[in-house]
Amino acid sequence: MEKFKAILGLVQKQQTTLSFGFVALFTVGGEHIFSSVVFRCPCSSWNFLYGCVFLLVPSLVLLLLGYLLNSKTWRLLTGCCMNTSKIFKMNNICGTVKVLVQITVNALVAPLTWVAVALLHGSYYECAMTGFNNTAYIHKVCDGKSKCFQDFHKLPCDGKSSLSASDREDVLLAIRAQSQVLGWMLIASIMAVALAFTCVTRCCSPVSFLQFKFWMSYMHQENELFESLATEHAKNLAQQNIRIFFESTEAPTMETPDNKAWEKIS
Amino acid sequence: MEKFKAILGLVQKQQTTLSFGFVALFTVGGEHIFSSVVFRCPCSSWNFLYGCVFLLVPSLVLLLLGYLLNSKTWRLLTGCCMNTSKIFKMNNICGTVKVLVQITVNALVAPLTWVAVALLHGSYYECAMTGFNNTAYIHKVCDGKSKCFQDFHKLPCDGKSSLSASDREDVLLAIRAQSQVLGWMLIASIMAVALAFTCVTRCCSPVSFLQFKFWMSYMHQENELFESLATEHAKNLAQQNIRIFFESTEAPTMETPDNKAWEKIS
Amino acid sequence: MEKFKAILGLVQKQQTTLSFGFVALFTVGGEHIFSSVVFRCPCSSWNFLYGCVFLLVPSLVLLLLGYLLNSKTWRLLTGCCMNTSKIFKMNNICGTVKVLVQITVNALVAPLTWVAVALLHGSYYECAMTGFNNTAYIHKVCDGKSKCFQDFHKLPCDGKSSLSASDREDVLLAIRAQSQVLGWMLIASIMAVALAFTCVTRCCSPVSFLQFKFWMSYMHQENELFESLATEHAKNLAQQNIRIFFESTEAPTMETPDNKAWEKIS
């Protein structure tokens, strides 16, 4: 039982890492389903558009979804039109940018995973590049194979191109290899940027490591407590108002913190 | 046990997101069943109508169902004929429009999912477009293939058109690619609009984030309490009235809030 | 039950070893999945780049991930820009280097496992070396076989090269043997370095073995106690602040250790 609690504690501590992992895992699963069930390269001049749409639009959708589902976005935006000073005060611009960057980093996990996995899988890139009308690129990939140039966009479809099976496979393997190399480069650069970024932010933090941990824990506790107290307060207020309605009595008004106080703690 | 409660709390917090997800999931399932079991393209001049009906009418049905099953619709409409001032009072029009927009957004989840999934699947669009009598479109898709022009509406049915199998597949793949590109565009634009819309509404809210959360919680509590108290009140009233009937005694009349009070809190 | 506790105690004592083992195991599994599902040698002039990318880039990614997930990295870096003296004080440089080495050792487990397992498996090395344009190397591996020289980069793909099946297998077996010998060398040298390194550090430690164990146990205990106390302190602070907000009362401020004290214990 104690060990179980320890594991739960560990899970709670590594929440961010774990949630990133889960998001990435779901994205990998989704990509696999899409590329095997929905995706079928048209093998025509549409190739480039079709491949790019499957490579990039889902990641755009995931990015927007990431912004939409992050409560920090709304904590930042709620009421900011009524109260522009909240954002544009000199000492707040820095904080706003910091929160925006945080939100963006969280929102970027899923789309980058999608692109990386799609590149490692290779089929979207294959379809897109066979519709890419760049003579130099086609010459380099075709490598002198006859009929490759005019049938280039028919390569991803089995049994359509007039090339020999082995020539076709050569070209496809070359394109897929490019895709996978690009995928690994993307993953490596994401990791490098993530490491550098975390280093710089942590390095510039005005507090030391344990104090940082303490404040994280404090914020977590404050959030939880605030929520439970707010719920209780709301319950009491509702109970009172409804009793007034049914019993037609006048009750002493309960005090609720005013708007200014709310803004200050938000 | 504590962890279980935490999960339940999380589910309750993310209610809207989860319910949207469930509606979308059911729609995806429904679309899959319909397109595989019920849908069979007629391969005649009926194609366009048939495809459009399967693409659009179910989404219309889902939209109407969305309005029908949303309790907010009835909260808004009940008694508004008797009491037109309720809607057309100057300071109320804005609120009415706001509630209408909220209801529409909720009702649009299912129909938009239907259209998006149907476009990604491609079979409805394929059937509709092969019946689409636009010469320029047919020329572009046929791309100079012989017999394609006159047999265009027979393409979706296997073994009916006089085209060679590979030519037929080319054309169908092109149409399906269009359908899927349109589907992704639709999904991306829905997400973009949703994000922009939520941003603007949240931004213009007069209260800050935590206060907003507090009022949401208050409204939830009030609703629950009101329901339980109303049920109790109704029970007492019924008990009293029936006792009066059987025992033919006169009991002190129980007070119920009058119509005006009811209207005010609705 | 007693036996179970004994096992748990053993697990706790050997934590480092076990976590190293788990990381290595996961890496082995990942390598197996990648080399069987994703990896397909292009059999062209791309071979060398492709093979090297699969051999080295994942290990680079794992190394960066190792740094990123190690809390010691952040304990060292947090706030070090604000407070350069923390690192560059004379008596601290030695400690900083020591911690950096510790972090690096931990971070190196996964990447070295990847490289070692990939070399033992052999397919990445095989692909890379058949694209390695070194005449002397090709002559030595081909060993006078006809057509081997010009078809060298087509060897990893079955049925592509014009060599006889037995000649092809000879060459591939030779390359794979090199790969596996290299893999064993790598593993042996890692072990040797690890042993030597631990010997030297332990040997130079100013305390004896039992004292060392005692200090390890003390640090572990201190960490745990500190965490639980910090959490409690954070909880009390949060409770107080929120009560002030809702009840609009002024409370006596609770004392929290100041920045300097935090830095000192970090």
Side-chain angles (χ1 to χ4, degrees):
Chain A
M1 205 56 213
E2 228 169 72
K3 286 290 144 190
F4 185 64
K5 265 188 195 163
I7 290 172
L8 277 177
L10 199 77
V11 165
Q12 221 157 25
K13 258 193 239 163
Q14 301 287 330
Q15 231 170 0
T16 327
T17 318
L18 279 176
S19 66
F20 279 15
F22 271 114
V23 170
L25 223 82
F26 274 114
T27 313
V28 170
E31 201 280 336
H32 191 75
I33 291 173
F34 269 98
S35 65
S36 59
V37 177
V38 178
F39 184 79
R40 286 191 63 197
C41 192
C43 293
S44 66
S45 52
W46 280 82
N47 277 9
F48 187 65
L49 179 69
Y50 190 74
C52 286
V53 162
F54 267 84
L55 195 58
L56 299 177
V57 174
S59 71
L60 179 71
V61 170
L62 287 171
L63 180 70
L64 295 175
L65 208 67
Y67 278 115
L68 207 60
L69 295 182
N70 196 333
S71 71
K72 272 185 195 158
T73 319
W74 310 124
R75 186 183 290 262
L76 184 72
L77 280 178
T78 309
C80 70
C81 289
M82 299 292 138
N83 184 10
T84 46
S85 67
K86 187 178 158 195
I87 288 186
F88 296 109
K89 244 188 243 160
M90 247 321 149
N91 56 345
N92 256 1
I93 283 189
C94 192
T96 309
V97 168
K98 213 167 126 190
V99 174
L100 268 180
V101 168
Q102 265 182 14
I103 298 168
T104 308
V105 165
N106 281 319
L108 273 175
V109 175
L112 286 178
T113 311
W114 176 278
V115 175
V117 172
L119 283 176
L120 280 185
H121 193 263
S123 53
Y124 301 159
Y125 182 85
E126 193 182 286
C127 185
M129 287 326 263
T130 51
F132 184 47
N133 264 331
N134 182 307
T135 323
Y137 178 77
I138 300 180
H139 268 298
K140 194 167 176 215
V141 171
C142 276
D143 200 18
K145 287 181 185 73
S146 65
K147 295 183 197 160
C148 173
F149 202 92
Q150 61 264 45
D151 269 6
F152 196 57
H153 59 248
K154 287 191 182 159
L155 281 172
C157 297
D158 201 13
K160 279 228 172 144
S161 65
S162 46
L163 265 80
S164 70
S166 108
D167 276 2
R168 182 180 159 257
E169 215 190 312
D170 272 0
V171 177
L172 287 183
L173 277 176
I175 299 178
R176 191 158 289 206
Q178 287 169 16
S179 176
Q180 293 181 343
V181 168
L182 277 179
W184 278 118
M185 295 292 165
L186 182 71
I187 295 174
S189 46
I190 291 170
M191 282 295 154
V193 168
L195 184 61
F197 179 75
T198 323
C199 277
V200 170
T201 48
R202 280 298 183 95
C203 195
C204 296
S205 99
V207 297
S208 55
F209 179 68
L210 288 176
Q211 200 175 359
F212 181 80
K213 263 176 85 173
F214 170 72
W215 281 115
M216 286 309 244
S217 143
Y218 169 75
M219 273 160 68
H220 182 73
Q221 297 280 356
E222 197 190 47
N223 251 347
E224 262 185 12
L225 266 174
F226 180 81
E227 232 160 75
S228 73
L229 266 178
T231 311
E232 204 182 305
H233 192 81
K235 203 172 175 176
N236 290 341
L237 198 63
Q239 226 158 14
Q240 207 184 49
N241 285 351
I242 285 173
R243 202 165 294 145
I244 292 173
F245 171 71
F246 274 108
E247 298 172 7
S248 307
T249 59
E250 203 98 336
T253 49
M254 231 172 112
E255 54 188 290
T256 320
D258 61 351
N259 281 10
K260 276 221 174 136
W262 281 104
E263 243 158 52
K264 216 166 138 198
I265 61 155
S266 273
Chain B
M1 204 56 212
E2 229 168 70
K3 287 289 143 189
F4 185 66
K5 266 187 195 167
I7 289 171
L8 277 178
L10 199 78
V11 166
Q12 218 157 27
K13 259 193 239 163
Q14 302 287 332
Q15 231 171 359
T16 326
T17 318
L18 279 177
S19 66
F20 279 15
F22 271 114
V23 170
L25 223 83
F26 275 114
T27 314
V28 171
E31 202 280 337
H32 191 76
I33 291 172
F34 268 99
S35 65
S36 59
V37 177
V38 178
F39 182 79
R40 287 192 63 199
C41 192
C43 292
S44 67
S45 53
W46 281 84
N47 276 9
F48 187 66
L49 181 67
Y50 190 75
C52 286
V53 162
F54 267 84
L55 195 58
L56 299 177
V57 173
S59 71
L60 181 70
V61 170
L62 287 170
L63 180 69
L64 295 175
L65 207 67
Y67 277 116
L68 207 60
L69 295 183
N70 196 331
S71 69
K72 272 184 193 159
T73 319
W74 310 122
R75 186 186 292 261
L76 184 73
L77 281 178
T78 310
C80 72
C81 289
M82 297 295 136
N83 185 9
T84 47
S85 68
K86 187 180 159 196
I87 288 186
F88 296 108
K89 243 188 244 162
M90 247 320 148
N91 57 344
N92 254 1
I93 284 189
C94 192
T96 309
V97 168
K98 213 167 127 190
V99 175
L100 268 180
V101 168
Q102 266 182 14
I103 299 168
T104 309
V105 165
N106 281 319
L108 273 175
V109 175
L112 285 178
T113 310
W114 176 278
V115 175
V117 171
L119 283 176
L120 280 185
H121 193 263
S123 53
Y124 301 158
Y125 181 86
E126 193 182 286
C127 184
M129 287 326 263
T130 51
F132 184 46
N133 265 330
N134 182 307
T135 323
Y137 177 76
I138 299 180
H139 267 299
K140 197 170 173 211
V141 170
C142 276
D143 200 17
K145 287 182 184 72
S146 66
K147 295 185 197 160
C148 172
F149 201 92
Q150 59 264 44
D151 269 5
F152 197 57
H153 59 250
K154 288 189 182 160
L155 280 171
C157 298
D158 201 14
K160 277 223 175 147
S161 65
S162 46
L163 265 80
S164 70
S166 110
D167 277 1
R168 183 181 159 256
E169 214 190 313
D170 272 359
V171 178
L172 287 183
L173 276 176
I175 298 177
R176 190 158 290 205
Q178 287 169 17
S179 175
Q180 292 181 342
V181 168
L182 278 179
W184 277 119
M185 295 291 166
L186 182 71
I187 295 174
S189 46
I190 291 170
M191 282 294 154
V193 168
L195 184 61
F197 180 75
T198 323
C199 276
V200 170
T201 48
R202 281 298 182 95
C203 196
C204 295
S205 99
V207 296
S208 54
F209 179 69
L210 288 176
Q211 200 175 359
F212 180 80
K213 264 176 84 173
F214 171 72
W215 281 115
M216 287 308 246
S217 143
Y218 170 75
M219 273 161 68
H220 182 73
Q221 298 280 356
E222 198 190 47
N223 251 348
E224 263 185 11
L225 267 172
F226 180 80
E227 231 160 77
S228 74
L229 266 178
T231 311
E232 204 183 308
H233 192 79
K235 202 172 174 179
N236 290 341
L237 197 63
Q239 229 159 15
Q240 207 183 50
N241 285 352
I242 286 173
R243 201 166 294 145
I244 292 171
F245 172 73
F246 274 108
E247 298 172 5
S248 306
T249 61
E250 202 98 339
T253 50
M254 231 175 115
E255 53 189 290
T256 321
D258 61 353
N259 280 10
K260 273 215 177 145
W262 281 103
E263 243 157 52
K264 215 166 139 197
I265 61 155
S266 272
Chain C
M1 205 57 214
E2 229 168 72
K3 288 285 147 190
F4 186 66
K5 264 187 194 165
I7 290 172
L8 276 178
L10 199 76
V11 165
Q12 219 159 25
K13 257 194 238 163
Q14 301 289 329
Q15 231 170 359
T16 326
T17 319
L18 278 177
S19 66
F20 279 14
F22 271 115
V23 169
L25 223 80
F26 274 115
T27 313
V28 170
E31 201 280 337
H32 190 74
I33 291 173
F34 269 98
S35 65
S36 59
V37 177
V38 177
F39 184 79
R40 286 190 64 196
C41 191
C43 293
S44 65
S45 52
W46 281 82
N47 276 10
F48 187 65
L49 179 68
Y50 190 74
C52 286
V53 162
F54 268 83
L55 195 58
L56 300 177
V57 174
S59 70
L60 179 70
V61 170
L62 288 170
L63 180 69
L64 294 175
L65 208 67
Y67 278 115
L68 207 59
L69 295 182
N70 196 334
S71 70
K72 272 184 194 159
T73 319
W74 310 124
R75 186 184 291 263
L76 184 71
L77 280 179
T78 309
C80 70
C81 289
M82 299 292 139
N83 185 10
T84 46
S85 66
K86 188 178 157 194
I87 288 186
F88 297 108
K89 245 187 241 162
M90 247 322 150
N91 58 344
N92 255 0
I93 283 189
C94 191
T96 308
V97 168
K98 212 167 128 191
V99 175
L100 267 180
V101 168
Q102 265 183 15
I103 298 168
T104 308
V105 165
N106 280 319
L108 273 174
V109 175
L112 287 177
T113 310
W114 176 279
V115 174
V117 171
L119 284 176
L120 281 184
H121 192 264
S123 54
Y124 301 159
Y125 182 84
E126 192 182 287
C127 184
M129 287 327 263
T130 50
F132 183 48
N133 265 331
N134 183 306
T135 323
Y137 177 77
I138 301 180
H139 267 299
K140 192 163 179 218
V141 171
C142 277
D143 199 17
K145 286 183 185 71
S146 64
K147 295 183 198 161
C148 173
F149 201 91
Q150 61 265 47
D151 269 4
F152 197 56
H153 59 249
K154 287 190 182 160
L155 281 172
C157 297
D158 201 13
K160 281 228 170 142
S161 65
S162 45
L163 265 80
S164 70
S166 106
D167 277 3
R168 181 178 160 258
E169 215 189 311
D170 274 0
V171 177
L172 287 183
L173 277 176
I175 299 178
R176 193 158 289 205
Q178 288 169 16
S179 175
Q180 292 181 343
V181 167
L182 276 178
W184 279 118
M185 295 290 170
L186 182 70
I187 295 173
S189 47
I190 291 170
M191 284 297 155
V193 168
L195 183 60
F197 179 75
T198 322
C199 277
V200 170
T201 48
R202 282 297 184 93
C203 196
C204 297
S205 99
V207 296
S208 58
F209 179 66
L210 288 177
Q211 200 177 357
F212 181 78
K213 263 176 85 174
F214 168 72
W215 279 116
M216 285 311 247
S217 145
Y218 168 75
M219 271 159 68
H220 183 72
Q221 298 283 354
E222 195 189 47
N223 251 347
E224 262 185 12
L225 266 173
F226 180 82
E227 231 161 77
S228 73
L229 267 179
T231 310
E232 205 181 308
H233 190 79
K235 203 172 176 176
N236 290 341
L237 197 62
Q239 226 156 13
Q240 206 184 47
N241 285 351
I242 284 172
R243 202 164 294 146
I244 293 173
F245 172 71
F246 272 108
E247 298 172 5
S248 307
T249 59
E250 204 98 336
T253 49
M254 231 171 113
E255 54 189 287
T256 320
D258 62 351
N259 281 11
K260 276 221 175 134
W262 280 105
E263 241 158 53
K264 217 165 139 197
I265 61 157
S266 274

